[in-house]
Amino acid sequence: MSGTTPGTVLLLAASPPGRGRLVDAASVLPVLAAVPPAVLSGTDTANVVELADPLEPQAVLTRLRAAATAPGPLTVYVTGQLLLDRRQRLPHLALARTTASTARYTAFPWHWFREELRLRLPGATTLILDLYADPESWQALCSPRTPRLLPRQQPVPQTPAPLVLDSGRDTAVYGRVAPPSSRRTVAVPAYMKAVATLLRSGRRPSNEELHRQALTRVAAESEHPGLVLARRGSGPAPGDPHAAITAAVRSGRHADADALAARHEHSAVLAYGPASEEALHWAEVRADLAMLAGDAVLSCRTWLTVAAARLNTGQAVDASVVETAVDRAHHQWGRIADPARARELGPLLAELRARVPGRQQGALDHVRRQLSQLQTQS
């Protein structure tokens, strides 16, 4: 155990019903729940949130977002199955209502993990994964011709296999992706059950040792481990300002964090232009910082600006970065307490929602209804 700040643990197990189910993901939760929270986290104390076969991706996003903003170490245990959405061919975690044809709207996009965890302190986040791939996603994950599934930073040379799911450069990732089974049976999450069994002893080894022992148990059961994931969070490069910004947020110095991000945004605008990826990255960081500071108006306005800039450069309305910007603007708009400010930004959001409907059905109708209600408020 380490540290005095309580840790946070998120237990997520999900798999679809019927013929599409590859693994009985939720079966591992009772075993994990029997492990003391402090052992699950590796801290003196910990808070545990359990999500068993959630129905909606937005519900998972809400819990993940709350966990990501909590101080102290965060450990996320994920058991489930991967599939690709048919439009963008991006990896998703299947949920309880997911089918192959509805993955875009009913499954959890994997890049949401990266987006929600990006402002956490280096070394404070760990993902432990036991994932099962269908034939289509397995082929995509193993293909060298699918660079968008690869992380932005290459794994350290000691990793047994490439890290194929980008969860952020500072996030440690351990686990495996199991290949499609030739048998028409629902698999048992062997790797995660091994992890849970090892932790029930009450001793919390290092992540590397826990991972090694779990793989040994999987091999002893004559199960192919599949694609092994083992990567320490790399941490920031020397001089990387993200760690300083995150530290300022953690200590409550929101103005200092925004000032630092603003300086880097200004430099990026001068060097690369206002619509460059470098400048838009820092604008997104500032939008997140405004959210963390409780300034929903500024966060919403900044996300709207980012979304409009991306669309004006020709990015597709269903590009993940465009959808993320509009979704976050929508989320922050719903948190604006001042009706006048909400009325001011509402038409801009509605205009963008008409172009970028996103993954949540009825999003545009929601904006219009809220705007109608706001007209009657003073």
Side-chain angles (χ1 to χ4, degrees), residues 162-228:
L163 178 60
V164 295
L165 296 171
D166 184 2
S167 306
R169 62 180 177 182
D170 296 332
T171 300
V173 180
Y174 298 92
R176 59 84 176 260
V177 181
S181 174
S182 59
R183 297 170 295 178
R184 292 188 176 181
T185 57
V186 177
V188 174
Y191 175 87
M192 194 64 76
K193 284 203 169 183
V195 167
T197 301
L198 290 164
L199 293 179
R200 286 185 67 179
S201 68
R203 187 181 73 86
R204 183 60 156 89
S206 67
N207 288 323
E208 292 83 357
E209 181 62 17
L210 178 65
H211 174 64
R212 186 191 66 78
Q213 292 185 25
L215 287 178
T216 299
R217 293 200 175 203
V218 169
E221 296 175 5
S222 300
E223 180 172 330
H224 192 284
L227 189 58
V228 175

Side-chain angles (χ1 to χ4, degrees), residues 27-99:
S27 66
V28 77
L29 286 178
V31 190
L32 283 170
V35 179
V39 178
L40 285 172
S41 175
T43 55
D44 294 333
T45 60
N47 302 308
V48 178
V49 178
E50 181 178 309
L51 287 174
D53 281 326
L55 301 177
E56 302 290 343
Q58 289 295 327
V60 179
L61 179 62
T62 298
R63 294 301 183 94
L64 176 63
R65 183 169 291 165
T69 57
L74 169 63
T75 308
V76 183
Y77 295 80
V78 182
T79 307
Q81 62 191 69
L82 293 173
L83 74 170
L84 305 180
D85 71 294
R86 291 183 173 177
R87 182 178 297 185
Q88 293 181 299
R89 317 297 295 169
L90 294 176
H92 287 59
L93 181 71
L95 302 182
R97 290 178 177 170
T98 299
T99 64

Side-chain angles (χ1 to χ4, degrees), residues 120-369:
R120 288 188 54 79
L121 284 172
T125 310
T126 302
L127 292 183
I128 298 179
L129 311 175
D130 192 0
L131 303 173
Y132 289 71
D134 65 3
E136 188 177 27
S137 59
W138 179 256
Q139 181 179 10
L141 291 171
C142 295
S143 171
R145 296 186 179 182
T146 52
R148 61 183 164 187
L149 299 183
L150 298 175
R152 295 175 183 173
Q153 181 169 335
Q154 293 300 315
V156 294
Q158 292 80 11
T159 51
L163 178 60
V164 295
L165 296 171
D166 184 2
S167 306
R169 62 180 177 182
D170 296 332
T171 300
V173 180
Y174 298 92
R176 59 84 176 260
V177 181
S181 174
S182 59
R183 297 170 295 178
R184 292 188 176 181
T185 57
V186 177
V188 174
Y191 175 87
M192 194 64 76
K193 284 203 169 183
V195 167
T197 301
L198 290 164
L199 293 179
R200 286 185 67 179
S201 68
R203 187 181 73 86
R204 183 60 156 89
S206 67
N207 288 323
E208 292 83 357
E209 181 62 17
L210 178 65
H211 174 64
R212 186 191 66 78
Q213 292 185 25
L215 287 178
T216 299
R217 293 200 175 203
V218 169
E221 296 175 5
S222 300
E223 180 172 330
H224 192 284
L227 189 58
V228 175
L229 310 174
R231 178 199 175 209
R232 297 190 184 108
S234 61
D240 189 336
H242 293 83
I245 290 172
T246 303
V249 171
R250 297 296 183 197
S251 61
R253 295 181 290 111
H254 296 284
D256 292 343
D258 182 67
L260 181 56
R263 288 200 297 272
H264 285 278
E265 181 185 13
H266 180 66
S267 298
V269 169
L270 292 178
Y272 306 105
S276 65
E277 279 299 321
E278 291 82 359
L280 291 176
H281 164 75
W282 285 110
E284 291 174 346
V285 169
R286 296 188 70 192
D288 280 338
L289 291 174
M291 175 196 69
L292 293 171
D295 191 341
V297 173
L298 179 58
S299 182
C300 176
R301 190 188 305 277
T302 306
W303 280 119
L304 290 172
T305 301
V306 169
R310 290 192 177 281
L311 289 171
N312 290 339
T313 61
Q315 295 187 29
V317 295
D318 62 352
S320 61
V321 287
V322 175
E323 288 185 339
T324 295
V326 178
D327 287 345
R328 292 197 170 196
H330 193 161
H331 179 264
Q332 289 299 292
W333 184 69
R335 293 178 173 269
I336 297 175
D338 183 351
R341 306 301 293 275
R343 282 195 297 267
E344 174 192 349
L345 295 175
L348 300 175
L349 176 61
E351 181 182 349
L352 278 173
R353 266 295 179 219
R355 299 175 63 186
V356 186
R359 299 164 182 264
Q360 192 169 6
Q361 296 179 353
L364 177 58
D365 290 338
H366 173 264
V367 175
R368 289 172 172 168
R369 286 195 305 269

